[in-house]
Amino acid sequence: MPSKQDIVSQIVSIFLKLVAKDPLSVVDFAFDILQRIPLFNKLPGMYEVIDYEVTLHIRDKKGATAVYTKQQHIRFLQDNIIAFQDKAWGDGEIFADYKCSPGVEVDRYRDGHRYNILISLRETKHRDDELTFHVERTIKNGFTATEEAFQTDIDHRTRKMTLNVVFPVTRLPTSVKVVEQNTGRSQALTGKHRQILPDGTHKYTWKMVNPRLYESYIIDWVW
C-alpha cells in the first residue's frame, strides 16, 4: 500500500504534467475553484450578474451609426444600495445618445480612456433584491475601419453572458472571431453562430456560462 508521501508525490507529478500539457486549462480550473470560495465571491462588488446580454447593432455600411444595448439581470450582495455605475469607452462619439432604465443619470466623468456613468436608482435596494438594468447608447463614427472590435469586460461575478453584433445587409463581414484578451485565445464565429434576421441583417452571437472574472471578451471582425 503506497504511503501518504507517495500519494502526494503522484498528485504533484500529475499536476505538473497537466500544467506542461495544457496550462490554460489548469488556470481555468484554478480560477473556477477560487470563484467558489465564499470570501473570494464577496470581492467583486455590490452585486452579481445573473444574466448579461450586450448587442451592438451597426446601422449602415460605413459604420457611422451604431446602437449599443446592454441588459443585466443582477442580484445585490449588499444592503442600502441607491446608485448604480455604468462604464463606457470606444472610438467616435460614444454618447451621441444615452438612455437607461431604471434610474436616472446623475453624473458622468472620465477615468483614463473610459467614462464612468453614475445612475441614481431612485429607490433603495437590499441584499438579495434583483433588478434588470437596461442601457442604450448611440455611437457615431465608432466603427469605420476595415477591421473593428467590440469589447466587453467582466468586472463582476457573472453566471451567463451573451454577446451580439448585428451587421447591415449592405456590408457583411468576411470574418468574425471572439478573443479573450488576457489569455490570447480566440475562436472563429461561423454559420452556427449567425442568424439572418427578417430585414436581411446578420446577427452573430457568442454565449458563455461563467465567463472569467476580470477577463475582456472581444468580438473582432473584418468587413
Side-chain angles (χ1 to χ4, degrees):
M1 183 174 179
S3 65
K4 290 183 179 179
Q5 184 175 357
D6 290 337
I7 293 173
V8 171
S9 297
Q10 289 176 11
I11 292 172
V12 171
S13 177
I14 291 170
F15 179 79
L16 291 175
K17 288 178 181 178
L18 287 173
V19 171
K21 184 177 180 180
D22 191 357
L24 289 178
S25 294
V26 175
V27 170
D28 283 346
F29 176 76
F31 211 92
D32 186 61
I33 293 299
L34 282 174
Q35 292 190 76
R36 284 162 169 73
I37 298 174
L39 178 60
F40 191 85
N41 286 343
K42 295 178 181 178
L43 295 179
M46 64 183 185
Y47 62 88
E48 66 169 344
V49 181
I50 298 171
D51 194 1
Y52 183 33
E53 181 166 5
V54 180
T55 301
L56 179 71
H57 191 154
I58 304 172
R59 299 292 192 178
D60 62 275
K61 65 180 181 180
K62 294 183 179 179
T65 301
V67 177
Y68 167 97
T69 57
K70 175 170 64 178
Q71 177 177 294
Q72 294 185 89
H73 184 71
I74 66 176
R75 182 176 70 87
F76 290 98
L77 304 176
Q78 300 175 16
D79 291 323
N80 302 313
I81 303 300
I82 61 172
F84 187 93
Q85 182 173 280
D86 188 23
K87 295 183 179 181
W89 63 92
D91 297 329
E93 186 182 351
I94 65 173
F95 292 110
D97 189 26
Y98 184 90
K99 301 173 184 176
C100 64
S101 175
V104 177
E105 180 186 355
V106 294
D107 192 17
R108 183 189 302 172
Y109 62 95
R110 188 164 187 167
D111 183 10
H113 70 286
R114 304 182 181 219
Y115 285 88
N116 293 322
I117 305 99
L118 182 63
I119 309 298
S120 170
L121 294 176
R122 297 299 180 93
E123 61 180 340
T124 302
K125 294 295 183 181
H126 299 284
R127 183 180 179 86
D128 292 328
D129 285 348
E130 294 187 11
L131 174 70
T132 300
F133 190 72
H134 303 267
V135 168
E136 180 179 301
R137 286 193 291 117
T138 299
I139 304 166
K140 295 289 187 180
N141 299 313
F143 301 94
T144 57
T146 302
E147 183 173 353
E148 283 290 357
F150 164 51
Q151 178 175 321
T152 298
D153 292 350
I154 302 300
D155 54 8
H156 289 77
R157 189 165 57 124
T158 302
R159 299 186 188 180
K160 185 170 66 173
M161 175 184 72
T162 303
L163 306 179
N164 306 296
V165 182
V166 181
F167 296 95
V169 66
T170 52
R171 192 177 181 187
L172 299 176
T174 57
S175 66
V176 184
K177 64 182 177 180
V178 61
V179 179
E180 294 182 7
Q181 186 177 65
N182 294 336
T183 66
R185 290 186 295 195
S186 66
Q187 179 176 333
L189 300 188
T190 59
K192 67 179 181 180
H193 302 98
R194 183 187 65 204
Q195 300 177 63
I196 301 177
L197 303 181
D199 61 358
T201 57
H202 286 208
K203 179 181 179 181
Y204 284 81
T205 299
W206 171 256
K207 295 184 178 183
M208 191 171 192
V209 176
N210 296 323
R212 183 184 288 110
L213 186 61
Y214 306 126
E215 180 62 272
S216 295
Y217 295 89
I218 303 167
I219 304 292
D220 186 290
W221 69 89
V222 177
W223 64 342

